[in-house]
Amino acid sequence: MMAAIWAGIDAGKTHHHCVAIDESGRRLLSRRVANDEPALLELITDVLALGNEVTWGIDLADGGAALAITLLLHHDQPLRYISGRAIHRASESYRGEGKTDAKDAAVIADQVRIRRDLHPLHAGDDIVTDLKILTGRRMDLVADRTRTVNRLRAQLTGIFPSLERALDLTNKGPLTLLTGYQTPAAIRRLGTKRLETWLRNRKVLRADQLAETAVEAAERQHIGLPGEKLTAQMVQILAKEVVTLNQQVAELDKLIEARFRDHHHFDAITSMPGLGIILGAEFLAATGGDMAVFGTPDRLAGFGGVAPVPRDSGKISGNLRRPQRYNRRLQRVFYASALFSIRRSEESRRFYERKRAEGKRHTQAVLALARRRVNVLWALLRDGRCYELTPPAALAA
């Protein structure tokens, strides 16, 4: 009679390493395979021939492991995900200090064999997959924009510090100004009226205020600084780059919204105060939208890093601390949406103020609010309904 088999895959970009073990932990197969469909199909066939029940484990959930994951799910194979950090920590309890792909694959297989809390991987929803791609690209663009703005500030400070202090370089108007004029002398020569006209022709809002601010800054600096001419060119180039990145982010936001609206949870998610289009789409990208995977709102909160974890020992009990292992992308969604809800929802603001009155710091109060909102969002998705304010009669009861 053929026994149960556990197979671990240490995934890589060009090659994977697979180790299959039996219930005693004995290695039945250890093989390096190319990240190529024929080679992976041959591996699946050979592993399935070892036993009548195979459970697979892998250390990546996307990227270079996407082909292997898709093939396994297409063949109805149970697949578990174990993070690289968990493998690293677990490997310390196995014999030998060396690190090889074969050892990592064996650790993955053995961890799948003995653990019952590993996250199962399922075939992805096409909409969620698209949102993962789109929101991931948006995060890259936003990070590029932040870096470019920081470089722009540094360059402008080197030749025109008073203007850098006066401008908000995250807005369109100041960026448009810097694409044309970067030095005090150039702005003084143009003057307030002509600069205002130049800005209005480029559809800048409140062009009169911006022109006046720029000329006032130019009047406070009459000396030219070393490298001014070349630095001004760098400022112009960087300002144009930020403008381009803003346009790309805006176009991507439209694509995200269009795709997000096709998801059946769109109305329920966006009905939550503070959860708009972008944060709602990132929530789906981080969780997959299937709450059954987590089982309870407590596990979702733990996955999102908004649930404190106990740190008790001996006579010490009730000692809570922030978790160290969680999905930082999902935590940002929960935290940012809680912040927005404080400004937009009277109920959230009252909860936040109550926590502050209890002596909690700002961050602690926001995290407490985020944790409470996880329960609400969970119930909305479970019941398939939209958020509604609790009637006053129910509050009084």
Side-chain angles (χ1 to χ4, degrees), residues 27-260:
R27 292 192 188 187
L28 304 177
L29 176 146
S30 180
R31 182 186 301 174
R32 187 171 185 260
V33 295
N35 190 13
D36 189 62
E37 184 173 343
L40 290 171
L41 288 175
E42 181 181 353
L43 172 68
I44 293 172
T45 301
D46 292 346
V47 172
L48 291 177
L50 298 174
N52 56 357
E53 181 183 347
V54 181
T55 303
W56 301 75
I58 197 164
D59 61 342
L60 288 177
D62 49 23
L67 178 59
I69 291 172
T70 302
L71 289 173
L72 287 169
L73 295 179
H74 183 74
H75 285 77
D76 298 321
Q77 294 298 296
L79 181 60
R80 304 288 184 267
Y81 167 73
I82 179 170
S83 68
R85 173 182 287 186
I87 297 168
H88 175 71
R89 291 186 174 182
S91 64
E92 295 177 354
S93 62
Y94 289 80
R95 185 173 56 188
E97 295 184 4
K99 182 188 182 305
T100 64
D101 292 344
K103 180 180 178 181
D104 287 345
V107 171
I108 294 171
D110 199 45
Q111 288 292 297
V112 173
R113 179 178 68 90
I114 63 179
R115 292 180 60 173
R116 298 293 180 266
D117 60 340
L118 295 180
H119 185 72
L121 294 179
H122 303 284
D125 184 315
D126 287 341
I127 296 176
V128 172
T129 301
D130 290 347
L131 289 177
K132 285 182 181 179
I133 296 171
L134 293 172
T135 55
R137 174 58 178 163
R138 188 183 190 278
M139 290 177 64
D140 291 340
L141 289 176
V142 170
D144 290 343
R145 180 175 63 185
T146 300
R147 286 190 293 267
T148 307
V149 168
N150 290 337
R151 296 190 192 105
L152 174 58
R153 288 188 181 280
Q155 295 284 356
L156 184 59
T157 301
I159 60 171
F160 200 169
S162 58
L163 184 62
E164 190 277 330
R165 290 194 304 269
L167 298 184
D168 181 358
L169 298 183
T170 61
N171 290 336
K172 175 185 175 182
L175 291 170
T176 303
L177 169 65
L178 293 178
T179 61
Y181 303 94
Q182 307 85 28
T183 64
I187 292 177
R188 281 198 307 273
R189 282 195 302 268
L190 194 63
T192 304
K193 290 298 182 182
R194 285 195 295 169
L195 180 56
E196 178 184 343
T197 301
W198 186 87
L199 292 170
R200 288 190 187 280
N201 290 339
R202 284 152 183 80
K203 299 180 180 179
V204 173
L205 297 177
R206 293 184 289 278
D208 54 340
Q209 298 178 17
L210 179 57
E212 184 178 348
T213 299
V215 173
E216 286 179 357
E219 292 294 345
R220 291 195 294 271
Q221 181 177 327
H222 288 265
I223 189 172
L225 300 183
E228 182 179 80
K229 184 176 180 181
L230 181 58
T231 303
Q233 295 176 5
M234 296 297 102
V235 168
Q236 182 185 47
I237 291 171
L238 290 170
K240 289 180 178 179
E241 288 181 4
V242 177
V243 170
T244 301
L245 287 168
N246 283 339
Q247 293 172 348
Q248 292 177 354
V249 171
E251 292 170 359
L252 203 56
D253 287 349
K254 294 179 181 178
L255 295 176
I256 291 173
E257 179 176 0
R259 200 67 180 113
F260 185 21

